């Protein structure tokens, strides 16, 4: 159990366009979801945290108007990269935690975004 | 805020040898310390974790030790195999805004040579 999926797995978009990435918990209800960004050969950097039905909490330095997060239900969170630029090209990974366990996070397979 | 330092950044061992990766953290309130293995282009995979009420935990060839006083924890892999080659990340929990966030170390690239 505790499977998290992401869609799409890879996406290429043109500079200036927007891209939406979906994160779903398939077999549990995710009380909290997290979005990370990982540049090549670097660590995971937390971008934002969200609870279902409430506004996301963004980490310092992450532009909330550029990275829109919607946690619409207990099984779905979306990240929209607006007006994407080449420097937004990265590996975006979501994770989810479930009720009753405040610590363990279950990671999605990641989305490789390339902005041309 | 929490800061997690991880050493070494790269580690090369011969098959069958042991590998040790060390992390230190700054937030004394941290109480959950997971270790992840990540292969290229894949999701981080939890390999072992430890909570602050325990000093050591072992799962077959993998063990983690925690010293809360010194604020450091270590991953020990014994009898390494080529398939252990990957990037390993430590992390420490941090309570912020009502959420338990994870702060990751910079990672260790482990190469196990046959």
């Amino acid at each position: 159990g505790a499977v998290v999926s992401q869609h799409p797995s890879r996406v290429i978009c043109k500079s200036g366009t927007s891209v939406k990435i979906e994160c779903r918990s398939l077999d549990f209800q995710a009380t909290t979801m997290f979005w990370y960004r990982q540049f090549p050969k670097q660590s995971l950097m937390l971008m934002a945290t969200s609870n279902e039905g409430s506004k996301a909490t963004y980490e310092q330095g992450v532009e909330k108007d550029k990275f829109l997060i919607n946690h619409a239900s207990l099984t779905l969170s979306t990240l929209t990269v607006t007006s994407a630029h080449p420097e937004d090209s990265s590996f975006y990974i979501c994770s989810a935690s479930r009720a009753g366990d405040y610590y363990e996070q279950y990671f999605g397979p990641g989305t490789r975004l390339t902005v041309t | 805020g929490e800061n997690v330092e991880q050493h070494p950044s790269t580690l090369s061992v011969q098959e069958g040898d042991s590998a040790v990766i060390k992390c230190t953290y700054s937030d004394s309130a941290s109480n959950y310390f997971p270790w992840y293995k990540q292969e290229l282009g894949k999701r981080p995979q939890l390999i072992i974790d430890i909570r602050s009420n325990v000093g050591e935990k072992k799962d077959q060839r993998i063990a983690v030790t925690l010293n809360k006083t010194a604020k450091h924890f270590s991953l020990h892999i014994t009898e390494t195999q080529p398939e252990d080659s990957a990037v390993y990340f430590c992390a420490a929990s941090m309570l912020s805004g009502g959420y338990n966030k994870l702060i990751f170390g910079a990672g260790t690239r482990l190469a196990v040579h046959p």
Side-chain angles (χ1 to χ4, degrees), chain B residues 1-97:
Chain B
E2 174 75 284
N3 183 46
V4 178
E5 293 193 1
Q6 182 172 346
H7 299 280
S9 57
T10 60
L11 182 58
S12 183
V13 300
Q14 289 297 124
E15 183 177 1
D17 288 350
S18 295
V20 180
I21 304 171
K22 299 182 178 183
C23 288
T24 60
Y25 62 98
S26 58
D27 186 352
S28 56
S30 292
N31 50 17
Y32 175 63
F33 308 91
W35 285 89
Y36 296 91
K37 175 184 180 182
Q38 188 181 32
E39 296 175 348
L40 189 63
K42 302 284 182 66
R43 78 184 85 197
Q45 175 192 356
L46 178 69
I47 55 171
I48 197 166
D49 57 11
I50 192 167
R51 307 209 177 182
S52 60
N53 56 347
V54 175
E56 185 174 355
K57 184 176 177 181
K58 190 173 180 181
D59 182 4
Q60 298 182 11
R61 296 186 297 111
I62 296 172
V64 57
T65 58
L66 171 65
N67 183 326
K68 282 222 77 179
T69 303
K71 289 192 248 178
H72 65 71
F73 55 114
S74 302
L75 176 71
H76 303 253
I77 305 174
T78 58
E79 300 171 34
T80 54
Q81 301 165 1
E83 49 266 39
D84 294 330
S85 298
V87 180
Y88 291 80
F89 292 99
C90 64
S93 66
M94 175 181 151
L95 187 62
S96 174

Side-chain angles (χ1 to χ4, degrees), chain A residues 64-76:
Chain A
K64 60 179 69 175
D65 293 332
K66 180 171 182 62
F67 299 98
L68 303 179
I69 291 171
N70 186 352
H71 194 153
S73 73
L74 284 172
T75 59
L76 173 64

